[in-house]
Amino acid sequence: MVKKNACIFISGAGSNLNNLISRSRDYTFPINIKLVISNNSRAKGLNYAKKNLIPYKIINTHSRDFEYKLLKDLKRYNIAIICLAGYMKILSKNFINKFDKKIINIHPSLLPKFKGLNTYLRILKEKEKKTGCTVHYVDDRLDNGKIILKKFFYINSKDNEMNLKNKTQRLEYSAFPEAIIKLFRNN
Ligand code: GAR
């Protein structure tokens, strides 16, 4: 199988990045990770890129031409898909249109419910019966775009922010790779 080149965008811990790196070692997994982008120079997740010798770049989203430079890098690495894995910035409409390939995001709720930040606390406060994660295409609105897949579990009365996060992230580690497989299954 001919694998596609992927670029993973992160801002923080990078556990989804780490999971995608290990999944991509499997020759049947449709992507190879060729580039990691972070808007945060202190993101712990950068260590996974370093450890696995994957090129990485820190972007300064305040600089006027960062999107232009980024698009050039994505072209240079022949990137066919961008996966936002805990990337906490919104991509501009201009960037999304110009990249013109797949861009997907993972979010720790059952979208369209609970877009944005502090997801777990809001879910607990609203006394939701179930929660989970969603992988979706990215548009220029926060946690928006066509849904690719969702996975859920039932919340129990003892759940708190910490273990809701653990349970959700465990689901993310199967949902993100599954969504990627689904996207490339027929092309
Ligand atoms: C993930 O749980 C992801 O769903 C969330 O950030 C976390 C990053 O964790 N993304 C969002 O909230 C996007 N709106 P990680 O850095 O350990 O992969």
Side-chain angles (χ1 to χ4, degrees), residues 10-17 85-88 105-109 116-117 119-120 133 142-143 165 168-169 172-173:
I10 62 167
S11 299
S15 67
N16 278 283
L17 166 65
Y87 180 70
M88 297 309 198
N105 178 46
I106 189 152
H107 183 73
S109 77
L117 297 175
T119 328
Y120 305 114
C133 63
L142 180 68
D143 301 320
K165 179 177 173 179
T168 304
Q169 290 206 322
E172 290 188 338
Y173 304 148

Side-chain angles (χ1 to χ4, degrees), residues 16-26 29 33 52:
N16 278 283
L17 166 65
N18 188 35
N19 178 56
L20 290 176
I21 292 172
S22 49
R23 288 300 301 267
S24 67
R25 291 205 187 94
D26 183 338
F29 193 62
I33 298 166
N52 290 283

Side-chain angles (χ1 to χ4, degrees), residues 80-123:
I81 182 168
I82 292 174
C83 304
L84 306 184
Y87 180 70
M88 297 309 198
K89 288 269 170 189
I90 294 179
L91 298 171
S92 74
K93 200 177 213 155
N94 176 55
F95 178 86
I96 294 166
N97 290 339
K98 289 224 168 91
F99 178 60
D100 194 27
K101 304 266 167 58
K102 295 177 171 59
I103 310 179
I104 64 174
N105 178 46
I106 189 152
H107 183 73
S109 77
L110 298 173
L111 289 175
K113 283 186 162 182
F114 303 103
K115 297 178 178 184
L117 297 175
N118 299 319
T119 328
Y120 305 114
L121 280 179
R122 287 187 290 135
I123 289 166

Side-chain angles (χ1 to χ4, degrees), residues 2 7 31 39 45 67 80 96 101 119 126 135 142 149-150 166 171 173-174 178:
V2 181
C7 175
I31 60 163
N39 64 315
E67 287 189 344
I96 294 166
K101 304 266 167 58
T119 328
E126 291 297 318
V135 182
L142 180 68
L149 66 82
K150 300 192 209 190
N166 289 338
L171 269 193
Y173 304 148
S174 63
E178 252 179 60

Side-chain angles (χ1 to χ4, degrees), residues 8-102:
I8 316 297
F9 281 38
I10 62 167
S11 299
S15 67
N16 278 283
L17 166 65
N18 188 35
N19 178 56
L20 290 176
I21 292 172
S22 49
R23 288 300 301 267
S24 67
R25 291 205 187 94
D26 183 338
Y27 78 99
T28 64
F29 193 62
I31 60 163
N32 273 330
I33 298 166
K34 295 290 186 185
L35 184 63
V36 171
I37 297 291
S38 176
N39 64 315
N40 169 12
S41 61
R42 287 184 301 190
K44 277 199 189 132
L46 286 170
N47 291 322
Y48 297 118
K50 292 177 192 166
K51 211 169 73 185
N52 290 283
L53 305 176
I54 298 170
Y56 64 91
K57 294 224 158 177
I58 317 291
I59 51 169
N60 173 5
T61 53
H62 301 296
S63 127
R64 202 168 41 87
D65 62 348
F66 90 93
E67 287 189 344
Y68 169 76
K69 288 185 184 154
L70 193 51
L71 285 163
K72 266 174 67 174
D73 283 326
L74 295 166
K75 199 166 222 152
R76 189 151 64 89
Y77 285 93
N78 193 22
I79 298 299
I81 182 168
I82 292 174
C83 304
L84 306 184
Y87 180 70
M88 297 309 198
K89 288 269 170 189
I90 294 179
L91 298 171
S92 74
K93 200 177 213 155
N94 176 55
F95 178 86
I96 294 166
N97 290 339
K98 289 224 168 91
F99 178 60
D100 194 27
K101 304 266 167 58
K102 295 177 171 59

